[in-house]
Amino acid sequence: MGTTVVGFRLGWDRKGRQATVVLTEAGVLHHSTGLLGLAVRPARPHAPAGPDPHPVPRQAATLRRLYADLHHQGYTRELIPPACVRLETEEHPLHPRPYGEHAPPPHPELIADFTGAAPAGPGTLEDALTAFYGAVGLTPRSRAALPSGAALPSGSPAVPPAVREALRGLAEGRTLASRPRRGAGWTVTGAGVRLSVGRVGEDLTHREVAELQAALTAWLRHQRRPGAGSGTR
């Protein structure tokens, strides 16, 4: 029967490394990293937490985060652009409790078949995910963009242009991220907020995001005061 997958392969030219991530219709994330041009051994797949009635959307959010995290680390060349592909490969059946000793084993054939079948043309992650959702019979979350001239409800404060653009990006399913030149960074998606330092990252809770937003807003207003923090901008 085979399986439908969505994935990508990114390269880090300066380090001579590559990273491949593939999500299957069963909601299993397969990934591997290694040297450019050499065969690598896949890591243990990341299975959905069982039982999970909606494993694919949750794992798709993780796929988006991995894509952004890899870009921040330096994997900026798209060796295989994001693509949805139908494979002849059969997925390994999942245990009802797919963790611990019952976690799914690595599946190198699946990753190899994806890299061999993926189209060479350009593609975006959101287009690939939309095609993947359609292929597996799911309805993607609405991504209607916020019109640039949309009127705000009566009594609402004005929304700065930068915030309006960020809202539009989240509505379209895009990932908002800090510039990759720093060792520390952040990513924001519709699913959540993540802070990272090098290869280590941490997701924030809703309360922590609210506290951070309040602290940053206070800091920005503090900086507007004459002589406040002028040497640290």
Side-chain angles (χ1 to χ4, degrees), residues 45-61:
H46 178 65
D52 187 343
H54 306 291
V56 170
R58 296 181 193 277
Q59 295 287 69

Side-chain angles (χ1 to χ4, degrees), residues 71-133:
H71 268 269
H72 288 322
Q73 291 173 25
Y75 292 85
T76 54
R77 185 157 68 95
E78 292 192 339
L79 302 173
I80 299 178
C84 172
V85 182
R86 178 68 185 177
L87 304 179
E88 297 299 324
T89 311
E90 293 285 346
E91 283 196 71
H92 294 152
L94 283 178
H95 192 275
R97 296 184 297 277
Y99 46 83
E101 61 179 333
H102 302 304
H107 199 162
E109 296 85 3
L110 187 142
I111 292 181
D113 287 352
F114 166 75
T115 58
T124 68
L125 182 57
E126 293 309 320
D127 286 344
L129 283 170
T130 297
F132 177 67
Y133 272 60

Side-chain angles (χ1 to χ4, degrees), residues 23 53-62 64 133 138-139 141:
L23 172 63
H54 306 291
V56 170
R58 296 181 193 277
Q59 295 287 69
T62 303
R64 288 188 179 97
Y133 272 60
L138 295 176
T139 302
R141 182 180 300 174

